Amino acid sequence: LPEGTRQTKVRLQAEDGAHSSAILYGRGGERTGVGVNHPRADFSSHYLTPFLLAAGYAVLGGQTRYLGNDVNCEHECLCADLAAQVRYLRAEGFENVVLCGNSGGGPLSTFYMAQANTPVGQRLTHTAAGNPYELNELDLQQADGLINLAGALSEGALGLANLDPSVIDEGDPLSCDPALDMFDPANGYRKPPEVSHYSAEFLERYRAAQVARCRRIGAKAFQEVARKRKYKAKMAEPGFADLPLDEQNFITRQAAACNTLTIYRTMADPALTDLSIHPNQRSIIGLMQPDPQVANWSIPGFVQMMTAEGWLSTWSGLSTQVDMHKDAARVTQPVLSITFSADVTILPFVGKGLYDNAASADRTYVEVEGDHFGFRDQGEREGGIVDAAAAIAAWLKPRFPAAEGAA
């Protein structure tokens, strides 16, 4: 961190009562605060922080209520967490608040800004599971700008693109239909570093089968939600307290018990091995393991275990209410969208789509050399981080005032 940096641990409480945390970094005199966000990752020490401080901007490194564990993550509730961050920065006297969403934080920050820009009375009223959650009753203060750094279309869209449709039995991680196995040589797979090539016919069947599997998981999730809702309604009936205790206990347990969903093999996007799909400068490598096949068949994947409510809101591409491209149509504030050129996970159409769909008249799209984490195989290892930070600082300077005397 730059010399003279002060770090302030912040405890935040959302309007729905949930607690979250952050660290506010500043050196004094900053007029603009940048909030860096992700649904579950710890961004209290994000790699952008030293660069933005040096450029004269305060940084609020966010941690949401779902820090480190998104098993029950509902994006609708995350709007309350981001609202608490924006209110805090306003209360600290910052003239401008800019949201910076990195990876899963890109669609989250865009989702928040879309809802904050939506008039009260027209915002979402329910979670993706259909449970009441009134965003109209929350103080969703508008941010002044949006930065998307290698953000997904949504975690649900990312999950759907990577959901392995060859899983036959959801209870058996080894079950596999070879006709839908992207790692079967008969379907066009080649052992890396050789590039695979899948036919249009296979890809059409594969994508349709991904949707079908996602729909099956979703049906199970909605059944779980319906069961809990049914018994919660029984608990609210006037005669519930007069029932025998063992019957009360049965109803209470049915209303409260959570049958978690186990989702195997969630890193199986054919684009990982067939580089002709949404081409960029990526290599054949898994996001969390060098070998894409090993990444798909092992832990950690994108999602392994979820509550029904968390799956429907966050990782289901069919039911999530988050869509960065659609949400962008409600973002009128200045927008910067950055894509890493060798990203194996967030492909170029995503960041470019935010730029294309944003309602803002002030839109900027930048492509930076590097992988999803800003690393480079050649030259300076962290060169992508340095260049992305420089692009952000260059974008901020003419739009949002920095501290006097900043570099």
Side-chain angles (χ1 to χ4, degrees), residues 32-371:
T32 299
V34 179
V36 189
N37 287 289
H38 190 280
R40 72 191 171 282
D42 182 2
F43 277 5
S44 65
S45 56
H46 194 272
Y47 59 71
L48 286 178
T49 302
F51 300 97
L52 296 182
L53 286 167
Y57 297 94
V59 177
L60 186 71
Q63 302 171 328
T64 74
R65 67 185 71 188
Y66 302 116
L67 176 64
N69 186 358
D70 66 357
V71 66
N72 196 35
C73 177
E74 293 185 277
H75 271 67
E76 297 81 8
C77 302
L78 285 170
C79 283
D81 288 359
L82 265 62
Q85 295 179 14
V86 174
R87 283 197 305 274
Y88 171 77
L89 289 170
R90 298 284 189 206
E92 287 296 299
F94 293 103
E95 301 170 23
N96 299 280
V97 175
V98 177
L99 294 184
C100 177
N102 180 201
S103 194
L108 170 60
S109 294
T110 310
F111 179 57
Y112 172 83
M113 291 191 68
Q115 289 299 306
N117 287 351
T118 300
V120 174
Q122 300 178 31
R123 297 171 182 165
L124 293 175
T125 59
H126 290 74
T127 67
N131 294 325
Y133 194 80
E134 269 286 359
L135 294 185
N136 294 292
E137 296 177 358
L138 299 180
D139 178 22
L140 303 183
Q141 296 187 13
Q142 295 180 352
D144 300 299
L146 171 66
I147 301 168
N148 167 54
L149 178 60
L153 181 58
S154 71
E155 289 192 305
L158 188 63
L160 180 57
N162 281 274
L163 193 63
D164 189 339
S166 70
V167 173
I168 299 172
D169 180 354
E170 295 294 338
D172 180 4
L174 290 173
S175 65
C176 183
D177 178 358
L180 290 170
D181 184 1
M182 65 168 275
F183 300 103
D184 189 323
N187 296 323
Y189 174 73
R190 298 295 179 264
K191 185 177 178 61
E194 189 177 348
V195 178
S196 301
H197 179 71
Y198 305 106
S199 69
E201 183 274 334
F202 174 77
L203 290 174
E204 184 177 359
R205 283 193 296 109
Y206 192 91
R207 296 303 188 191
Q210 286 180 309
V211 171
R213 184 187 177 199
C214 187
R215 188 173 289 121
R216 290 194 300 271
I217 298 171
K220 185 176 180 181
F222 277 118
Q223 288 176 357
E224 174 78 2
V225 170
R227 185 256 302 166
K228 288 192 280 188
R229 186 176 295 145
K230 171 185 174 181
Y231 285 96
K232 285 178 181 177
K234 289 181 178 293
M235 291 179 67
E237 292 176 356
F240 175 75
D242 299 324
L243 295 173
L245 183 56
D246 59 347
E247 191 170 346
Q248 289 186 45
N249 287 346
F250 174 80
I251 293 172
T252 300
R253 291 170 185 178
Q254 289 288 336
C258 183
N259 184 15
T260 53
L261 305 169
T262 303
I263 303 101
Y264 296 114
R265 307 216 300 271
T266 57
M267 303 193 81
D269 186 346
L272 288 166
T273 53
D274 186 341
L275 303 184
S276 69
I277 301 172
H278 297 295
N280 62 359
Q281 298 173 17
R282 66 187 182 274
S283 302
I284 301 177
I285 188 170
L287 182 66
M288 300 178 188
Q289 296 272 0
D291 186 336
Q293 180 174 201
V294 174
N296 183 50
W297 286 73
S298 62
I299 292 177
F302 282 125
V303 52
Q304 296 290 330
M305 183 180 72
M306 297 293 293
T307 63
E309 294 82 359
W311 167 260
L312 293 169
S313 177
T314 295
W315 282 108
S316 168
L318 300 182
S319 59
T320 182
Q321 300 189 94
V322 179
D323 185 317
M324 190 164 67
H325 291 175
K326 291 181 180 178
D327 291 331
R330 297 185 180 184
V331 178
T332 55
Q333 295 87 346
V335 171
L336 169 64
S337 184
I338 297 177
T339 294
F340 284 119
S341 64
D343 199 326
V344 301
T345 301
I346 311 301
L347 301 175
F349 76 94
V350 179
K352 186 60 165 55
L354 173 61
Y355 169 83
D356 290 336
N357 288 283
S360 173
D362 182 355
R363 299 170 296 165
T364 305
Y365 178 73
V366 176
E367 191 168 296
V368 173
E369 182 187 348
D371 67 11

